[in-house]
Amino acid sequence: MPRIRAASVAEHRTMQRGALLDAARSLLSEGGTEALTFPALAERTGLARSSVYEYFRSRAAVVEELCAVDFPVWAAEVEAAMDRADTPEAKIEAYVRQQLALVGDRRHRAVVAISAGELDAGAREKIRAAHGGLIAMVVEALMSLGHEQPRLAAMLLQGVVDAAVRRIELGAAEEPHRITEAAVSMALRGVRG
């Protein structure tokens, strides 16, 4: 009987942590950084404010956890889109399009909403490493196109994607699909040299 009770306590804690992360995603995507507060998390989940501190020590810890949970999902979606493409150019196009398609995803909007300045050095390094993994996906396609510095080209390509993400996130005058098409066009022209 104690094992069942221990398992149910662990399951309950996992569910509570998941509920807190889901509430954090919603708060960040609805109201940005200012909306992510422990009282708001407590209200959204029905937990006492003190209970939130049992799961996370700070807002930065919440964001770090969101990145750890959500980034691999985005990366897998980008990788799957690239795997469906059959030429290096098509892989690069898929890389750009899939990332920009994810901009509307609540998980993505939540992490973008908080500034990297609120994260400690360890959290920022984890995010940089995750982005490095994303960039590594496109290096092979760039090598196939004969780039002398495929890693540099990949980082610059990601810069185009990041700029397009910011433009979409800001609610720019252009429609998101126009921003996507411009980014794809710029990326493909750039990688062709």
Side-chain angles (χ1 to χ4, degrees), residues 106-190:
R106 189 169 63 97
R107 296 166 302 174
H108 182 269
R109 290 176 60 210
V111 175
V112 169
I114 197 160
S115 72
E118 291 201 33
L119 302 177
D120 62 31
R124 281 196 304 271
E125 185 52 40
K126 286 179 187 174
I127 292 169
R128 269 195 295 275
H131 273 281
L134 192 60
I135 289 169
M137 288 182 202
V138 79
V139 168
E140 186 178 328
L142 291 163
M143 286 172 42
S144 296
L145 290 173
H147 274 271
E148 291 178 21
Q149 296 181 322
R151 179 120 177 104
L152 174 60
M155 289 187 281
L156 295 173
L157 174 62
Q158 186 60 44
V160 169
V161 173
D162 293 343
V165 165
R166 283 191 301 276
R167 191 93 183 136
I168 292 169
E169 286 287 336
L170 289 172
E174 305 88 4
E175 293 290 322
H177 76 278
R178 290 196 188 281
I179 295 169
T180 298
E181 293 309 315
V184 167
S185 176
M186 184 174 286
L188 291 176
R189 284 187 188 131

Side-chain angles (χ1 to χ4, degrees), residues 13 16 20 38 42 47-56:
R13 286 193 59 80
Q16 291 288 36
L20 285 165
F38 279 28
L47 292 172
R49 184 175 169 185
S50 60
S51 295
V52 177
Y53 284 99
E54 291 177 27
Y55 293 91
F56 299 104

